[in-house]
């Protein structure tokens, strides 16, 4: 059975089930279940094997570190909501924007403080833009488009202090381990960033539609409300927060500033003794370990800050746990991805790819094909993380066996997931944004499909060109 076409079956059933259910987890679990029974084709043996792969995946040091990071980071973000950080930030800038160009500039500049997570960014900036739309001639579609352009496509390009970095480095590390590549996963991720062509192209298009050309026909200007009415509407827009939440912008600005500074400093500190230059120190650093250290220090300082502001300890703990629990579904998906990768490898996945599949795809077409396949998949399931987890083992194996640049193919995988997270009506980013801006999700997704496809087409060409020059 090892090295035969059977090793493809776990992956082959993942995609149709994910598309059918519009959820990644059921497909991953089905693939893992099938792989376990292929290894031990009897009832008890298959179940024991499944449990064994899950447990083995969870006790890997880097895997458990990324789970802790995601949980703690989500808990910290929820604390900034509860203590008025996000609401304060909205109030701080809400009434200072007077022109359409200034409104667009606000969306772009707000990325500096909200790049840690796409949905976090959306719930921070979308409510204030909804209010500003009442007195500025900007369509809801254009507001949504620019906010989304500066969300997922930006976050995937930032190599520190985001909820994405740990996950991206983790799945790269798992894929590299399976093919016996000893390069540092974080250094490979850094090298793949310039090849996330879709993110770079859609950002350029976002600048074009922000400041040069209207995205959609502009809606008529609604009469400007007075100051009291504006404040009332602003409070109604903040549906993501409790009504009694205070206005304390520094409760957001300080934690984000501290975690960013500590991540950068500790990255240099951890790697400087092993590096030959300042920039090489960041590559040599233990990225996951450093991010955890920075996050825990920030969490402790934030708890002290909120405690001295007389927030209840019980309330702080409750909101921290509630925030972490919001990512349980992501943690479950990660666990299944790790376990599925392991069982597929044990079935001879890499050997079969090297012996058969690479004969069908010329090396120059590996990156473009991976990007197009991932883009189609991510559009139908609406999940960038799910797409990355599903494609990373396949893409990295194809790159290694054909001599194609591994960072290039990894860049194509990340670009493809970003396409779906941006363009799909099933994306949680799109759903969250439409709920806040009162936009019909399908119509809004259709309005941004044309620029999305143009960016995808340009990206495909760039991947083809890059493939000819990189090995």
């Amino acid at each position: 059975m090892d090295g035969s076409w059977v090793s493809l079956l776990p992956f082959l059933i993942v995609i149709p089930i994910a598309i059918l259910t519009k959820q990644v987890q059921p497909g991953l679990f089905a693939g893992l279940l099938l792989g376990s029974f292929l290894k031990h084709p009897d009832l008890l043996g298959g179940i024991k094997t499944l449990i064994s792969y899950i447990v083995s995946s969870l006790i890997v040091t880097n895997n458990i570190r990324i789970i802790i990071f995601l949980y703690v980071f989500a808990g910290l973000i929820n604390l900034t909501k509860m203590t008025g950080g996000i609401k304060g930030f909205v109030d701080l800038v809400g009434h200072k924007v007077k022109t359409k160009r200034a409104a667009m500039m606000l969306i772009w500049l707000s990325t500096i403080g909200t790049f840690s997570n796409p949905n976090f960014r959306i719930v921070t900036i979308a409510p204030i833009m909804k209010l500003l739309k009442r007195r500025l001639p900007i369509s809801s579609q254009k507001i949504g488009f620019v906010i989304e352009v500066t969300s997922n496509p930006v976050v995937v390009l930032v190599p520190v202090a985001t909820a994405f970095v740990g996950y991206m480095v983790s799945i790269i590390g798992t894929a590299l381990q399976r093919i016996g590549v000893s390069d540092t996963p974080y250094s490979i991720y850094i090298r793949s960033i310039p090849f996330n062509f879709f993110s770079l192209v859609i950002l350029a298009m976002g600048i074009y539609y922000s400041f040069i050309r209207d995205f959609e026909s502009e809606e008529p200007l609604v009469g400007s409300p007075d100051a009291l009415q504006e404040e009332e509407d602003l409070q109604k827009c903040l549906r993501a927060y409790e009504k009694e939440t205070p206005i304390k912008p520094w409760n957001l600005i300080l934690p984000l500033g501290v975690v960013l500074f500590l991540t950068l400093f500790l990255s240099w500190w951890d790697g400087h003794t092993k590096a030959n230059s300042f920039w090489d120190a960041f590559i040599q650093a233990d990225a996951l370990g450093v991010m955890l250290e920075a996050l825990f220090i920030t969490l402790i300082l934030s708890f002290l800050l909120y405690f001295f502001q007389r927030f209840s300890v019980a309330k702080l703990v409750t909101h921290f746990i509630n925030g972490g629990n919001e990512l349980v579904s992501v943690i479950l998906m990660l666990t299944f991805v790790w376990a599925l990768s392991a069982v597929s490898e044990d079935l001879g996945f890499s050997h079969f790819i090297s012996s058969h599949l690479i004969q069908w795809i010329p090396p120059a077409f590996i990156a473009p094909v991976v990007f197009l396949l991932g883009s189609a998949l991510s559009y139908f399931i609406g999940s960038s993380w799910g797409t990355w987890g599903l494609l990373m083992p396949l893409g990295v194996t194809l790159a290694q066996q054909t001599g194609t640049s591994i960072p290039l193919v990894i860049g194509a995988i990340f670009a493809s997931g970003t396409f779906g997270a941006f363009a799909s009506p099933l994306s949680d980013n799109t759903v969250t944004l439409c709920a806040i801006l009162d936009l019909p999700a399908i119509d809004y997704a259709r309005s941004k499909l044309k620029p999305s496809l143009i960016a995808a087409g340009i990206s495909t060409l760039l991947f083809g060109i890059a493939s000819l020059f990189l090995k």
Side-chain angles (χ1 to χ4, degrees), residues 14 106 109 138 175 192 207 224 230 253 263-264 266 279 286 308 320 326 377 436 447 450 459:
V14 169
L106 171 62
L109 290 178
I138 313 174
S192 76
I207 295 174
S224 300
E230 285 187 10
I253 297 171
T263 300
L264 292 172
L266 293 176
W279 295 111
D286 175 12
F308 286 121
F320 172 78
E326 291 177 2
L377 172 62
I436 295 175
S447 73
K450 180 179 178 180
S459 301

Side-chain angles (χ1 to χ4, degrees), residues 11 175 179 337 341 349 388-398 413:
F11 281 110
I179 61 172
V337 166
S341 176
F349 175 78
W388 298 339
L390 294 175
L391 280 188
M392 193 61 70
L394 174 62
V396 170
T397 301
L398 283 172
I413 293 170

Side-chain angles (χ1 to χ4, degrees), residues 339-358:
L340 177 61
S341 176
V343 72
S344 298
E345 189 61 28
D346 288 345
L347 288 170
F349 175 78
S350 295
H351 179 71
F352 179 77
I353 292 294
S354 62
S355 302
H356 299 84
L357 191 57
I358 61 173

Side-chain angles (χ1 to χ4, degrees), residues 38-83:
L38 288 174
K39 284 293 292 181
H40 293 280
D42 63 86
L43 180 60
L44 290 179
I47 296 298
K48 287 182 179 179
T49 301
L50 181 145
I51 295 172
S52 174
Y53 276 110
I54 290 176
V55 172
S56 298
S57 299
L58 286 175
I59 62 176
V60 173
T61 300
N62 277 346
N63 290 355
I64 196 65
R65 289 203 296 182
I66 183 56
I67 288 175
I68 294 172
F69 175 84
L70 292 174
Y71 192 94
V72 174
F73 191 89
L76 177 62
I77 293 304
N78 208 44
L79 288 181
T80 67
K81 294 180 185 179
M82 186 270 285
T83 57

Side-chain angles (χ1 to χ4, degrees), residues 49-276:
T49 301
L50 181 145
I51 295 172
S52 174
Y53 276 110
I54 290 176
V55 172
S56 298
S57 299
L58 286 175
I59 62 176
V60 173
T61 300
N62 277 346
N63 290 355
I64 196 65
R65 289 203 296 182
I66 183 56
I67 288 175
I68 294 172
F69 175 84
L70 292 174
Y71 192 94
V72 174
F73 191 89
L76 177 62
I77 293 304
N78 208 44
L79 288 181
T80 67
K81 294 180 185 179
M82 186 270 285
T83 57
I86 297 176
K87 185 176 180 181
F89 177 80
V90 171
D91 184 77
L92 183 66
V93 300
H95 305 296
K96 298 181 180 179
V97 176
K98 305 299 183 183
T99 67
K100 177 179 172 182
R101 179 175 290 271
M104 292 294 101
M105 187 62 69
L106 171 62
I107 296 178
W108 284 90
L109 290 178
S110 66
T111 308
I112 297 172
T114 59
F115 63 82
S116 57
N117 182 280
N119 275 331
F120 167 60
R121 168 161 173 69
I122 288 169
V123 301
T124 301
I125 194 63
I128 186 174
M129 296 309 300
K130 180 179 180 179
L131 171 61
L132 292 174
K133 177 183 170 294
R134 293 178 60 90
R135 51 190 173 88
L136 293 173
I138 313 174
S139 71
S140 296
Q141 289 86 354
K142 179 170 183 174
I143 291 173
F145 179 82
V146 178
I147 290 176
E148 283 208 272
V149 161
T150 54
S151 297
N152 202 295
V154 169
V155 175
V156 298
L157 298 176
V158 179
V160 294
T162 76
F164 278 27
V165 173
Y167 174 69
M168 298 167 84
V169 172
S170 175
I171 59 174
I172 290 174
T174 300
L176 293 179
Q177 184 180 19
R178 296 299 172 188
I179 61 172
V181 174
S182 59
D183 289 6
T184 306
Y186 186 72
S187 67
I188 296 290
Y189 163 62
I190 294 294
R191 289 161 56 192
S192 76
I193 291 176
F195 301 119
N196 191 332
F197 292 132
F198 178 80
S199 291
L200 298 173
V201 173
I202 203 67
L203 280 171
M205 295 184 70
I207 295 174
Y208 174 73
Y209 283 116
S210 294
F211 303 107
I212 300 175
R213 178 183 174 183
D214 290 335
F215 176 65
E216 289 284 302
S217 58
E218 298 299 324
E219 299 168 356
L221 178 62
V222 180
S224 300
D226 58 28
L228 292 176
Q229 185 63 43
E230 285 187 10
E231 180 62 20
E232 181 182 345
D233 289 340
L234 179 59
Q235 299 304 322
K236 290 179 181 179
C237 284
L238 299 176
R239 58 183 63 184
Y241 322 116
E242 301 173 4
K243 291 183 179 179
E244 66 271 18
T245 300
I247 298 176
K248 295 180 179 290
W250 289 105
N251 285 350
L252 168 67
I253 297 171
L254 284 177
L256 287 184
V258 170
V259 74
L260 178 59
F261 170 77
L262 286 177
T263 300
L264 292 172
F265 173 75
L266 293 176
S267 294
W268 171 81
W269 182 260
D270 185 71
H272 81 283
T273 58
K274 300 172 284 186
N276 298 320

